[in-house]
Amino acid sequence: MESIRIIGSYLSPYVRKVLVCLELKGLAYQLDPIVPFYGNDEFSRISPLRRIPVLITEDVTISDSTVICEYLEQQFPLPALLPQAAADRARARWLEEYADSRLGEVLIWGLYNQVAIRRAVWNEAPDADLLKKIHEQDIPHVLDYLEQQVPKDGWIFPDFGIADISIATFFRNAEFARFKIDAQKWPLTAAFVARVLAHWSFVRLHAFEDLIFRVPPAGQREVLIAAGAPIHPETLGVGSPRRGILKI
Ligand SMILES: N[C@@H](CCC(=O)N[C@@H](CS)C(=O)NCC(=O)O)C(=O)O
């Protein structure tokens, strides 16, 4: 089998989505666990938006978690990440898109950015007014929608797949930002997210995520190597951060 290298931190929800898919498909990989702001010029070359994840194999270098997961699905069809029927596939892709765009906007660029990234990367305090709006308006709005979409038991489609993974991965970051879904208000979503995050494919990554959450970006690679994570021998990381290209 061709070698698979993923550029990107265990703490990125989009990287986690790809790693969970690799775990499910039983594919070995090596990670270059960089926080995107610390990427070097080679990172800019292979990821023109300076975003993680990037997949590198002998055949391709591609960015974007959705593009990567679709590539993996085509190359390694089993177990399938998407359901079979066309209507189900379309709905799964929509939920993936909703998660990547809207949950990304609210839970990553909003919540996680304010609570974790601003201080760790830029040494800036959180914006209290923005956090209030996120908690009072944005998060309830997305949870009201998800409550209509997720099942009472099991997965969104009969087999565990991309729709489940794409939604739950953002709530793992929300947990790191000390957010817990109110199970009184959104019981189905609270239970669904807990169920998905307890799936073995997510659990295999938990220890590495917990390990680096409080470690400054520059030290994360060494800590992960010492813990036995599958780390690639080369890195595209540098010692100081630069601002990204896109706002969201
Ligand atoms: N649509 C992309 C989004 C990836 C993304 O936004 N990744 C974040 C990390 S969680 C990133 O690299 N941010 C750096 C930036 O945009 O400057 C995907 O699905 O891979």
Side-chain angles (χ1 to χ4, degrees):
M1 191 187 299
E2 57 188 336
S3 75
I4 295 178
R5 173 176 168 191
I6 301 292
I7 313 292
S9 168
Y10 279 109
L11 293 174
S12 158
Y14 302 96
V15 172
R16 185 179 305 111
K17 177 179 146 190
V18 168
L19 298 185
V20 166
C21 292
L22 288 165
E23 295 286 349
L24 278 175
K25 288 182 181 289
L27 298 167
Y29 54 87
Q30 286 189 314
L31 195 69
D32 176 8
I34 63 166
V35 173
F37 312 105
Y38 293 81
N40 62 14
D41 291 341
E42 173 66 1
F43 176 62
S44 302
R45 196 183 66 76
I46 64 169
S47 179
L49 301 178
R50 287 184 62 79
R51 291 196 149 170
I52 53 170
V54 180
L55 166 83
I56 305 176
T57 70
E58 280 129 38
D59 298 328
V60 292
T61 297
I62 39 177
S63 298
D64 194 277
S65 62
T66 300
V67 177
I68 294 170
C69 292
E70 285 187 355
Y71 175 75
L72 293 173
E73 183 82 339
Q74 272 199 299
Q75 290 288 89
F76 310 99
L78 295 177
L81 301 170
L82 282 160
Q84 282 310 305
D88 288 346
R89 289 172 88 88
R91 180 165 174 251
R93 287 192 168 114
W94 157 247
L95 291 171
E96 179 181 14
E97 169 55 25
Y98 177 81
D100 285 355
S101 54
R102 186 61 179 151
L103 297 186
E105 184 177 21
V106 172
L107 298 178
I108 298 306
W109 290 103
L111 181 69
Y112 189 76
N113 182 38
Q114 290 299 326
V115 174
I117 299 174
R118 273 175 73 109
R119 211 179 283 286
V121 176
W122 310 111
N123 203 15
E124 291 170 359
D127 177 335
D129 290 342
L130 185 59
L131 270 177
K132 187 166 158 20
K133 174 183 171 287
I134 291 165
H135 279 290
E136 291 179 1
Q137 294 176 26
D138 298 341
I139 294 180
H141 187 252
V142 298
L143 290 173
D144 285 347
Y145 177 66
L146 291 177
E147 194 70 7
Q148 308 302 314
Q149 302 300 320
V150 299
K152 194 160 160 291
D153 304 298
W155 320 118
I156 296 177
F157 299 99
D159 293 325
F160 185 77
I162 199 72
D164 309 300
I165 297 164
S166 301
I167 292 170
T169 187
F170 288 94
F171 287 95
R172 176 74 173 140
N173 282 73
E175 282 180 0
F176 280 114
R178 300 183 298 278
F179 173 77
K180 200 171 176 318
I181 300 172
D182 183 341
Q184 301 287 322
K185 288 191 189 152
W186 298 285
L188 298 183
T189 312
F192 169 79
V193 165
R195 207 156 56 236
V196 177
L197 293 181
H199 189 274
W200 64 265
S201 56
F202 275 90
V203 171
R204 290 185 70 141
L205 307 172
H206 281 180
F208 297 136
E209 298 168 359
D210 292 338
L211 194 63
I212 57 171
F213 181 60
R214 294 191 189 287
V215 176
Q220 293 178 356
R221 181 183 174 81
E222 295 315 314
V223 168
L224 288 166
I225 290 172
I231 301 302
H232 194 274
E234 289 162 32
T235 183
L236 303 181
V238 289
S240 53
R242 61 174 107 159
R243 299 270 173 191
I245 289 171
L246 299 182
K247 181 83 177 72
I248 57 163

